Amino acid sequence: MTLSRFKPGDVLIVAILAVLLGWHWSLWPELASGSSARVLDALGRLAGVLGLGLMLLAGIGSVRLPGLDRWFGGLPRLWTLHRLMGFGGFILILLHVWSMAFSGVAQSLAVALATLFPPISDWAIWSGWLALVLTVLFLAPTFQFFGRLHYQRWKRLHLLSAPALAFALVHTLSLSRWWPLWLVLGLLAFAAIGWRKLLSPHLGRSDWTVAEVQTLVPGVVELVLDPVDRPLRYEAGQFVYLTPWDERLAAGCGEEHPYTLSSAPDDPQLRLGIKDLGDATHALQTLTPGSRVQIEGPYGDFYERHRPGTGQLWLGGGIGITPFVSGARALRADGREDIQLFYLALDSSRAYYLDELKSHAERCPAFRVEAHYFRQEGPMTLAFLKQHCPDFAQREVYLCGPPGMVNHLKPLLLSAGVPHSALHSEVFDFL
Ligand SMILES: Cc1cc2nc3c(=O)[nH]c(=O)nc-3n(C[C@H](O)[C@H](O)[C@H](O)COP(=O)(O)OP(=O)(O)OC[C@H]3O[C@@H](n4cnc5c(N)ncnc54)[C@H](O)[C@@H]3O)c2cc1C
């Protein structure tokens, strides 16, 4: 996921950061004061302001409200922003500590030590230290300082972000004259985390029953779900969080995982194509009709269009075919949208949706499907694309598949003249 195109939500983030920095206007002249102690002190405070601002915005951005993510170009892009803000905030907070220490060194070592390690009764400074230690603990696995952690353990450790933010706010509110602004941002961050962790599991999900579990090939099933109460409104290409509640599952009962909807939005049932990629997805292969699941969403913005009226090129690989299955199922027979789909699979035995996609191509003349088999033809080439879709570089391109496929195709398409703005991709991996 790249951040190449600017979204309305980005403006909000930049505006809040600008207000924070502007609000601390009295620190700016200090940067030109000529005294190294004062320059470092002002630099340290501004780094702290920006660092905590980014951390709080990352907290607010974790809210996960259907619809809100579209302001930021969909949830995967919002998560990328969340990670960038978290990482940027962490680096600035390190700079904050470093600058404050060196502003003291400019006077004497004793002053520097007293600034960093005051008597224990100075709880404002010590809560800052506590916030930093907690931040290091919850960020270490995110940035894989000590290797990759299992996703669910990573998620639990990430909960330390809430006390880290609380201690950081105690530190700032007791030392800053601009506390109302911090209070508002702090309340918003805690409301976001509270919604996500405490309220959304009860208020943000809807109940569904498993109607069918269709095995497409070994290791891939399509779940068909019936609504218990309200149906879901969504667009083709969007995804949901699915939480199964079946105690008989070997893993993943009560765990939420994201899956793209493969059904057409007007289908009263929901369909999700799920590939066995780990313990939870492996267990879902054994789900039985009648089981209860919960759905949260929809999220994402996959089929955003920047140049309406131009033809589309869809490239789906492996289980990354699901948004295109949804798109194909939603096509109307008299639709005029010119769409070429390339279905990238290892070999014909792994092209489990191909027959159905071909039947949609017969039903809708403006939709064409071509399979590409890696075992037979190797990686996708420009020659293959040109042969089957001569005007591919003039089309709006949608790409979804494993990271290796997306990393191969993106530079290939860009080298053929597809502009960045016409390239939309999704990788089924948030980390
Ligand atoms: C936007 C999106 C759409 C997706 N659509 C589909 C789909 O249509 N069909 C399909 O089979 N798979 C889809 N996936 C992938 C699916 O979510 C993962 O395969 C699944 O969560 C793996 O869980 P696991 O316990 O089986 O494996 P694990 O071994 O626990 O996880 C494998 C990897 O999956 C990712 N992952 C695990 N749990 C989560 C989670 N809760 N949230 C985000 N990422 C997680 C992590 O990167 C992890 O390293 C999608 C993922 C995303 C982000």
Side-chain angles (χ1 to χ4, degrees):
M1 168 60 55
T2 56
L3 299 175
S4 48
R5 285 175 293 274
F6 216 60
K7 303 288 171 187
D10 302 349
V11 180
L12 198 65
I13 292 175
V14 173
I16 292 174
L17 292 175
V19 167
L20 272 176
L21 286 178
W23 207 280
H24 292 79
W25 54 270
S26 61
L27 293 172
W28 290 100
E30 295 292 300
L31 293 176
S33 65
S35 146
S36 54
R38 282 170 61 190
V39 169
L40 282 167
D41 182 80
L43 195 68
R45 286 172 202 276
L46 285 171
V49 165
L50 210 52
L52 180 60
L54 283 169
M55 285 287 188
L56 289 171
L57 286 173
I60 296 169
S62 70
V63 62
R64 222 168 75 188
L65 277 180
L68 187 75
D69 64 315
R70 301 189 78 149
W71 291 16
F72 299 88
L75 201 56
R77 187 178 182 279
L78 182 54
W79 283 131
T80 306
L81 278 174
H82 169 87
R83 277 161 57 90
L84 286 177
M85 288 192 290
F87 187 64
F90 176 59
I91 298 293
L92 283 163
I93 282 165
L94 291 182
L95 182 67
H96 166 68
V97 178
W98 182 88
S99 298
M100 298 312 287
F102 275 88
S103 73
V105 170
Q107 296 170 54
S108 75
L109 194 58
V111 172
L113 285 173
T115 310
L116 286 185
F117 307 108
I120 205 75
S121 56
D122 193 344
W123 48 269
I125 299 295
W126 287 106
S127 55
W129 275 117
L130 214 51
L132 182 61
V133 170
L134 289 170
T135 305
V136 170
L137 283 180
F138 84 80
L139 282 187
T142 302
F143 297 105
Q144 298 176 17
F145 294 154
F146 311 109
R148 200 166 173 144
L149 202 66
H150 185 273
Y151 188 83
Q152 297 304 323
R153 269 186 228 127
W154 169 83
K155 245 175 118 172
R156 282 195 286 276
L157 200 62
H158 220 66
L159 286 177
L160 285 180
S161 56
L165 284 180
F167 283 118
L169 278 169
V170 169
H171 172 78
T172 310
L173 287 173
S174 44
L175 294 174
S176 167
R177 277 185 287 139
W178 295 276
W179 61 268
L181 198 60
W182 291 116
L183 199 63
V184 171
L185 281 181
L187 286 175
L188 282 175
F190 281 101
I193 297 171
W195 165 258
R196 172 79 191 281
K197 295 293 166 192
L198 303 173
L199 297 178
S200 155
H202 305 286
L203 305 176
R205 295 176 180 172
S206 56
D207 289 324
W208 293 72
T209 311
V210 177
E212 264 181 87
V213 183
Q214 298 169 353
T215 301
L216 302 179
V217 287
V220 184
V221 289
E222 186 163 84
L223 300 185
V224 185
L225 310 177
D226 280 335
V228 171
D229 35 41
R230 56 192 158 112
L232 188 78
R233 286 172 59 149
Y234 61 96
E235 288 172 20
Q238 286 199 289
F239 69 94
V240 291
Y241 276 83
L242 173 107
T243 309
W245 290 104
D246 186 337
E247 301 285 347
R248 291 166 300 174
L249 288 179
C253 175
E255 258 178 36
E256 50 171 26
H257 287 265
Y259 303 104
T260 303
L261 292 161
S262 55
S263 39
D266 60 359
D267 186 341
Q269 294 181 308
L270 289 186
R271 289 169 185 271
L272 304 112
I274 296 178
K275 183 172 179 182
D276 173 358
L277 287 170
D279 50 1
T281 43
H282 180 70
L284 282 181
Q285 313 286 316
T286 65
L287 209 59
T288 47
S291 298
R292 184 170 84 93
V293 298
Q294 285 188 305
I295 292 289
E296 184 201 303
Y299 297 108
D301 198 5
F302 189 61
Y303 286 110
E304 60 174 334
R305 299 296 310 270
H306 290 281
R307 296 183 298 169
T310 47
Q312 299 183 45
L313 175 65
W314 294 354
L315 289 146
I319 195 63
I321 196 69
T322 47
F324 304 114
V325 173
S326 172
R329 284 174 173 168
L331 289 174
R332 288 160 49 108
D334 59 352
R336 286 161 179 262
E337 201 85 73
D338 177 4
I339 301 168
Q340 169 70 57
L341 166 65
F342 286 107
Y343 188 168
L344 287 79
L346 205 55
D347 54 38
S348 58
S349 72
R350 300 302 294 173
Y352 31 84
Y353 277 114
L354 188 58
D355 287 346
E356 184 192 330
L357 289 166
K358 282 188 169 160
S359 72
H360 291 301
E362 277 164 23
R363 187 174 60 85
C364 318
F367 174 57
R368 290 175 308 284
V369 184
E370 193 64 48
H372 176 278
Y373 300 130
F374 185 87
R375 281 222 170 104
Q376 211 174 303
E377 322 200 43
M380 171 70 84
T381 57
L382 289 180
F384 186 95
L385 288 171
K386 258 192 208 124
Q387 182 190 346
H388 297 283
C389 183
D391 66 343
F392 77 93
Q394 279 76 55
R395 290 172 177 250
E396 198 81 23
V397 183
Y398 298 86
L399 205 58
C400 187
M405 178 197 118
V406 173
N407 292 341
H408 168 70
L409 284 177
K410 265 190 172 174
L412 195 73
L413 291 161
L414 291 170
S415 73
V418 175
H420 257 294
S421 60
L423 200 56
H424 316 282
S425 66
E426 195 145 282
V427 181
F428 284 176
D429 192 351
F430 274 158
L431 289 178

